[in-house]
């Protein structure tokens, strides 16, 4: 886009006569969560254009947001082309910002394309699944001078904000150590990382990236302005393998034909079909079919698709348990555990240790202990969906053209992703990784 067009488009961003307008690229579960803010706060923002290849999903999303048919597209390239035409003929884009929630490996290409047209961008996690892509995105965002965020919803929960205020206030002294656990949930892991879209590293990425980039980002956030200096990691795919398949299952490849299905915690019938019988069609069953899931469609998906396969016969290779240790430039340390085998699902458990106190929390409540007084105080922040806190921050950042509303920037985001890649490098090579040297090395190797 030429300089005059860029200036004209930027000017259009800053002259708001109504709600912030958004385009949504990829209308899956995450986008539904983000876009729900537009339905609940129509005076704040409005979804005006979408791009989605699945016909029924596209129709339902368009109906929910009352989107003009002329602004409903089959894929992101169609939307981008229409936007280029609007810039050329009308001097403005189709929307103020864009939510990008396509498949992980596509993030770089879509972000670069919309950044070049001057759109403010909220990108779904992870930022990207290759380091080169992360660097490319950082450069594109800086060049375009746009608002940019990655959907690290944990940062914006009332629970997290309340803890962050205490960390930054210094009332408990210096933060010296954090112990953080992500209990993924036994059936959640089976759904997403054994049967689902994130099961194979070469089709998506390693599980520390696709599941726990949120957590590494949170650790870096709490311990900033210190930066990671050294990292080590251990982990493996321990259980979801052919070798661990119960002998009594015999040659069964699918749950619906397995003789011991009712005794298996990972039964697809239990996870998907039984809930539909009870009228429950939300996640995870909602992702099995295009449109609204019903008994016929879900049964067909289990009989013919990946979600009906035995977890011990599935085509998966990502870690189901992993630990990460990080040393920061301040001398502080953090330890993180991701594990599949839990009854809790994503309800993180955290201990923050300060020189004069500690915080112990479980994503719902947290208790603060002051060593100087012996006083214990339990806090019950109002918890909301991560998207509900993230979207107001992004919309306000766009409305005011102020990146600070997101309390981060693309350079800080990149730093947390470098830490994730460094941790996986440590796990695979069996060594402690110097984060500064690692960044220097990869930048030289990638010409960045």
């Amino acid at each position: 886009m030429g300089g005059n067009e860029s200036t004209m488009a930027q000017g259009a961003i800053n002259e708001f006569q109504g709600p912030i307008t958004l385009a949504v690229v990829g209308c899956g579960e995450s986008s539904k969560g983000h876009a729900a803010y537009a339905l609940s706060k129509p005076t704040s923002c409005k979804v005006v254009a979408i791009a989605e290849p699945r016909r029924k999903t596209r129709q339902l999303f368009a109906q929910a947001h009352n989107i003009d048919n002329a602004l409903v597209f089959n894929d992101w390239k169609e939307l981008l082309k229409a936007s280029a035409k609007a810039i050329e003929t009308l001097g403005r884009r189709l929307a103020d910002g864009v939510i990008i929630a396509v498949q992980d490996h596509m993030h770089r290409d879509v972000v670069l394309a919309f950044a070049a047209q001057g759109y403010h961008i909220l990108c779904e996690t992870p930022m990207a699944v290759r380091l080169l892509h992360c660097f490319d995105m950082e450069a594109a965002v800086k060049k375009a001078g746009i608002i940019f965020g990655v959907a690290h919803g944990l940062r914006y929960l009332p629970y997290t904000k309340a803890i962050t205020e205490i960390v930054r206030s210094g009332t408990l002294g210096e933060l010296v150590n954090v112990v953080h656990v992500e209990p993924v949930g036994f059936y959640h892991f089976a759904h997403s990382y054994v049967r689902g879209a994130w099961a194979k590293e070469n089709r998506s990425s390693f599980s520390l990236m696709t599941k726990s980039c949120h957590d590494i980002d949170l650790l870096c956030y709490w311990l900033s302005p210190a930066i990671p200096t050294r990292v080590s990691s251990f982990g493996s795919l321990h259980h979801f393998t052919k070798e661990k398949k119960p002998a009594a299952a015999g040659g069964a490849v699918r749950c619906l034909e397995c003789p011991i299905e009712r005794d298996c915690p990972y039964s697809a019938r239990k996870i998907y079909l039984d809930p539909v019988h009870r009228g429950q069609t939300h996640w995870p069953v909602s992702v099995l079919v295009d449109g609204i899931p019903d008994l016929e469609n879900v049964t067909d998906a289990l009989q013919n698709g990946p979600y009906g396969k035995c977890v011990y016969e599935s085509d998966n290779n990502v870690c189901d348990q992993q630990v990460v240790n990080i040393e920061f430039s301040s001398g502080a340390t953090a330890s993180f555990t991701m594990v599949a085998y839990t009854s809790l699902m994503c309800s993180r458990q955290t201990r923050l240790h300060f020189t004069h106190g500690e915080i112990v929390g479980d994503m719902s409540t947290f208790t603060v202990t002051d060593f100087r007084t012996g006083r214990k105080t339990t806090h019950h922040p109002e918890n909301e969906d991560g998207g509900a806190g993230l979207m107001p921050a992004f919309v306000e950042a766009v409305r005011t053209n102020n990146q600070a509303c997101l309390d981060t920037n693309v350079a800080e985001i990149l730093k947390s992703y470098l830490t994730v890649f460094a941790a996986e490098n440590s796990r695979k090579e069996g060594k402690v990784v110097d984060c500064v040297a690692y960044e220097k090395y990869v930048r030289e190797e990638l010409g960045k």
Side-chain angles (χ1 to χ4, degrees):
M1 184 167 66
N4 290 337
E5 290 172 328
S6 179
T7 301
M8 188 178 300
Q10 186 65 36
I13 291 174
N14 296 322
E15 297 175 2
F16 294 115
Q17 303 300 321
I20 298 300
T21 55
L22 300 171
V24 175
V25 180
C27 299
E29 291 299 305
S30 61
S31 289
K32 289 178 185 176
H34 300 322
Y37 180 67
L39 297 178
S40 65
K41 301 289 184 180
T43 60
S44 181
C45 68
K46 177 177 174 59
V47 177
V48 297
I50 63 170
E52 167 57 50
R54 294 168 295 177
R55 182 177 63 85
K56 292 180 181 178
T57 298
R58 184 173 64 245
Q59 290 175 346
L60 290 170
F61 203 100
Q63 290 169 7
H65 292 270
N66 194 28
I67 299 172
D68 189 308
N69 287 335
L71 295 174
V72 177
F73 303 94
N74 294 328
D75 62 45
W76 68 271
K77 292 182 179 179
E78 289 183 3
L79 171 56
L80 187 75
K81 184 177 180 181
S83 177
K85 184 175 181 180
I87 292 169
E88 180 181 357
T89 59
L90 302 175
R92 59 180 174 83
R93 299 181 303 282
L94 297 179
D96 303 309
V98 58
I99 297 172
I100 294 175
V102 293
Q103 294 179 3
D104 298 345
H105 70 274
M106 297 169 60
H107 286 181
R108 189 269 306 265
D109 291 348
V110 184
V111 166
L112 264 59
F114 282 94
Q117 289 192 354
Y119 282 88
H120 296 312
I121 294 173
L122 178 64
C123 182
E124 187 50 67
T125 57
M127 182 182 186
V129 295
R130 294 178 57 193
L131 259 175
L132 174 62
H133 291 189
C134 291
F135 287 123
D136 287 345
M137 290 164 70
E138 179 197 34
V141 167
K142 287 183 175 179
K143 180 179 179 181
I146 58 172
I147 300 298
F148 179 77
V150 174
H152 290 132
L154 287 181
R155 283 183 174 225
Y156 304 92
L157 290 170
Y159 167 89
T160 307
K161 286 184 176 181
I163 290 178
T164 302
E165 287 179 8
I166 297 172
V167 171
R168 292 182 174 176
S169 72
T171 55
L172 293 178
E174 182 183 359
L175 179 57
V176 177
N177 171 266
V178 182
V179 178
H180 184 67
V181 178
E182 182 183 15
V184 181
F186 70 98
Y187 74 87
H188 181 192
F189 194 92
H191 167 76
S192 296
Y193 303 94
V194 179
R195 295 171 168 136
W198 299 276
K200 289 278 286 184
E201 183 173 343
N202 63 358
R203 290 201 300 260
S204 178
S205 190
F206 48 96
S207 55
L208 186 69
M209 175 64 74
T210 57
K211 185 68 186 82
S212 302
C213 62
H214 298 273
D215 301 277
I216 302 300
D217 174 77
L218 190 59
L219 293 174
C220 292
Y221 181 53
W222 276 334
L223 284 156
S224 66
I227 60 172
T229 54
R230 292 193 297 172
V231 62
S232 66
S233 182
F234 305 91
S236 66
L237 172 59
H238 181 81
H239 184 70
F240 296 107
T241 65
K242 287 180 171 59
E243 291 74 22
K244 296 296 177 69
K245 183 178 181 180
V253 175
R254 292 190 172 273
C255 290
L256 297 186
E257 62 189 32
C258 179
I260 63 168
E261 170 267 322
R262 280 300 174 187
D263 296 321
C264 179
Y266 308 106
S267 159
R269 185 188 298 275
K270 290 179 183 177
I271 295 173
Y272 307 112
L273 206 53
D274 288 354
V276 176
H277 275 287
R278 297 191 295 268
Q280 299 171 4
T281 57
H282 48 71
W283 187 93
V285 71
S286 58
V287 305
L288 267 64
V289 300
D290 180 19
I292 300 174
D294 57 28
L295 284 173
E296 182 180 357
N297 289 335
V298 172
T299 300
D300 179 70
L302 297 187
Q303 290 174 338
N304 299 292
Y307 292 100
K309 288 191 70 174
C310 170
V311 292
Y312 305 104
E313 296 283 353
S314 294
D315 187 21
N316 59 293
N317 65 1
V318 298
C319 289
D320 55 23
Q321 51 87 31
Q322 188 166 353
V323 296
V324 179
N325 295 310
I326 308 172
E327 178 186 68
F328 287 80
S329 57
S330 63
T333 56
S335 63
F336 168 67
T337 297
M338 179 276 289
V339 60
Y341 310 103
T342 65
S343 56
L344 293 175
M345 188 176 75
C346 303
S347 295
R348 277 85 168 174
Q349 299 157 328
T350 309
R351 302 181 68 97
L352 296 95
H353 305 114
F354 302 79
T355 52
H356 300 321
E358 68 178 359
I359 299 175
V360 179
D362 62 4
M363 296 299 292
S364 177
T365 65
F366 65 88
T367 299
V368 179
T369 302
D370 188 320
F371 299 156
R372 295 162 295 192
T373 64
R375 182 181 179 187
K376 290 180 180 289
T377 308
T378 299
H379 299 255
H380 303 270
E382 180 185 354
N383 269 308
E384 303 172 2
D385 174 33
L390 170 64
M391 284 304 296
F394 177 68
V395 168
E396 183 64 10
V398 173
R399 188 185 69 80
T400 60
N401 198 26
N402 183 8
Q403 180 71 38
C405 293
L406 284 165
D407 204 16
T408 190
N409 57 56
V410 69
E412 291 178 354
I413 294 168
L414 175 62
K415 187 71 70 175
S416 77
Y417 278 91
L418 276 163
T419 306
V420 179
F421 280 107
E424 186 66 1
N425 180 260
S426 169
R427 186 189 73 85
K428 287 184 173 180
E429 297 194 9
K431 65 181 183 182
V432 175
V433 173
D434 181 306
C435 296
V436 176
Y438 178 75
E439 178 175 355
K440 181 180 179 181
Y441 169 76
V442 296
R443 282 188 181 275
E444 290 175 351
E445 285 291 300
L446 297 174
K448 297 296 178 179

